[in-house]
Amino acid sequence: SYKYHITMEDIPPSYREKTGIELLDVDLRIKPADAFFNLFTSESYHVKRFISAAFRKRLQEILLETTFDIVQLETLFMCPYIDTVRRYSTAKIVLRAHNIEHRIWQRIAAETRNPLKKWYLRHLAMTLKTYEEHIVTRVDGVAAITPTDEKYFLKLHPSSTTIPFGVDPEHYANRAGQVEYPSLFSLGSMNWFPNAEGIKWFLLNVWPDIHEQFPDLKYYLAGREMPSWMRNLNLPNVIVLGEIKDASEFLSSKAVMIVPLFSGSGIRIKIIEGMAAGKTIISTSLGAEGIAYTNHENILIANAPCEFFDMISVCVADKRLFEKTGKQARVLIQTHYLPQKLVQNLIGFYQQLVR
């Protein structure tokens, strides 16, 4: 898509060879006229944008060329192609659910103050929920990304399981001697509304008191597609880096990761990556939702400005606690989120469906 555009040259040759991955441009831009007229239908505008005649044609060709045991639909937005898969393949169809999609928009709508925008977002959430609850019954299995999501999908489909996002901690070099301590940072795609919304909340409600208490403490903002208001920030000791060349190196070099999320669903990959790198994470209950964490052991949970202030103060004042929390976070990843184990669980789920 235009937002996440890549070329074949951007993909490592070994990955291309192993997967046979193909790229096809699809126009996902929001068109005002289409969005307006969609208000008078019961269709989900979110899903409709992903329907492409060219994509359907290429999918049909692939299904005719090769026999598959499993066709995995990556996210709800690939579900418009279920009919094509059923027509040209006898494979079992698995929905890989990254989120409960309609809950994201319900939560965004709940946080929106503009009445007209709130009404429109509620409409989008309602049509998306109707589609999601119907389409889940048409696949053969659901691979949810968190236990929380699995509970929801089990009510709709008996063949649902949890396969979380996995990372290899060895990919995150131990650069303890190079960590800027104390320091705060946030890392993520800022064109995703919940991320930008959470950062704005933190800057308005938490940062002024933090800066007053710790005038030398720096807060780094890094991520792609930053909105103009974020790029033009002129706040003391808030350093806006924008998109960075090496996210892993940046992650390793800073101390405390701030994840102030109040909407969204699924699992926050940046928290998992931060834990793998041995970072101390301060996040909301919703931000850490779906992760097998223990508060005050491998993560610090804060839901109000005063709680964020207290957790940050503890991390700045007590380096031993900061280091201990980061180490326990890395142990959590090694215990629950290693890719090798998760792959075997997914293969086992596939085998059950095929049998």
Side-chain angles (χ1 to χ4, degrees), residues 56-337:
R56 193 186 302 277
K57 181 174 182 292
R58 182 62 192 127
L59 176 59
Q60 175 184 329
E61 292 169 352
I62 291 171
L63 293 172
L64 289 171
E65 291 166 2
T66 310
T67 300
F68 296 95
D69 298 309
I70 298 285
V71 172
Q72 179 168 300
L73 304 175
E74 202 73 14
T75 80
L76 182 72
F77 305 110
M78 293 295 99
C79 287
Y81 303 103
I82 287 177
D83 289 339
T84 303
V85 178
R86 294 290 189 211
R87 184 174 181 182
Y88 298 102
S89 173
T90 59
K92 298 293 185 181
I93 299 177
V94 174
L95 168 61
R96 174 53 161 163
H98 293 196
N99 309 281
I100 301 173
E101 297 292 344
H102 75 268
R103 282 188 182 170
I104 296 174
W105 295 97
Q106 284 179 338
R107 288 165 173 173
I108 292 175
E111 295 291 326
T112 301
R113 295 182 179 179
N114 183 301
L116 186 60
K117 187 175 181 182
K118 180 186 283 285
W119 174 83
Y120 181 64
L121 290 173
R122 281 177 173 171
H123 168 78
L124 291 177
M126 180 187 66
T127 55
L128 190 58
K129 180 182 180 182
T130 300
Y131 179 82
E132 192 163 26
E133 291 183 343
H134 165 70
I135 210 70
V136 165
T137 65
R138 298 193 57 209
V139 299
D140 298 298
V142 179
I145 206 163
T146 71
T148 303
D149 291 2
E150 182 191 350
K151 288 179 182 178
Y152 166 80
F153 287 116
L154 275 171
K155 296 176 183 177
L156 303 170
H157 200 299
S159 294
S160 299
T161 191
T162 301
I163 307 291
F165 175 82
V167 295
D168 186 349
E170 297 306 314
H171 290 171
Y172 298 87
N174 184 9
R175 305 175 186 179
Q178 301 178 31
V179 174
E180 180 185 345
Y181 174 85
S183 62
L184 310 179
F185 73 99
S186 292
L187 174 64
S189 295
M190 298 303 174
N191 59 354
W192 177 228
F193 178 79
N195 285 344
E197 169 201 50
I199 297 297
K200 180 179 285 188
W201 177 89
F202 181 82
L203 291 172
L204 289 174
N205 296 285
V206 182
W207 181 249
D209 291 335
I210 290 293
H211 179 64
E212 182 178 348
Q213 182 71 19
F214 306 103
D216 296 327
L217 184 66
K218 294 178 180 178
Y219 177 38
Y220 296 87
L221 293 175
R224 61 185 297 170
E225 301 289 338
M226 285 193 164
S228 57
W229 70 263
M230 197 177 292
R231 292 196 306 269
N232 298 325
L233 276 175
N234 187 23
L235 294 174
N237 278 11
V238 176
I239 301 168
V240 182
L241 300 173
E243 187 169 0
I244 49 180
K245 182 177 286 188
D246 190 333
S248 179
E249 183 177 343
F250 170 77
L251 189 63
S252 297
S253 68
K254 303 298 179 266
V256 179
M257 177 186 274
I258 304 296
V259 190
L261 283 176
F262 296 94
S263 58
S265 177
I267 197 168
R268 260 53 62 177
I269 292 174
K270 290 304 176 189
I271 291 183
I272 297 293
E273 291 178 334
M275 286 180 155
K279 300 289 109 174
T280 294
I281 317 287
I282 303 177
S283 183
T284 60
S285 299
L286 193 145
E289 186 180 65
I291 298 173
Y293 70 85
T294 301
N295 190 19
H296 294 290
E297 180 178 315
N298 42 44
I299 196 171
L300 301 175
I301 299 297
N303 294 303
C306 59
E307 293 173 346
F308 270 94
F309 181 89
D310 289 344
M311 294 300 98
I312 291 170
S313 298
V314 167
C315 289
V316 172
D318 191 344
K319 190 174 183 180
R320 285 183 301 176
L321 183 141
F322 152 77
E323 291 175 341
K324 180 182 177 182
T325 305
K327 288 177 181 177
Q328 293 289 356
R330 188 174 170 90
V331 169
L332 175 70
I333 300 304
Q334 292 168 333
T335 305
H336 294 285
Y337 298 97

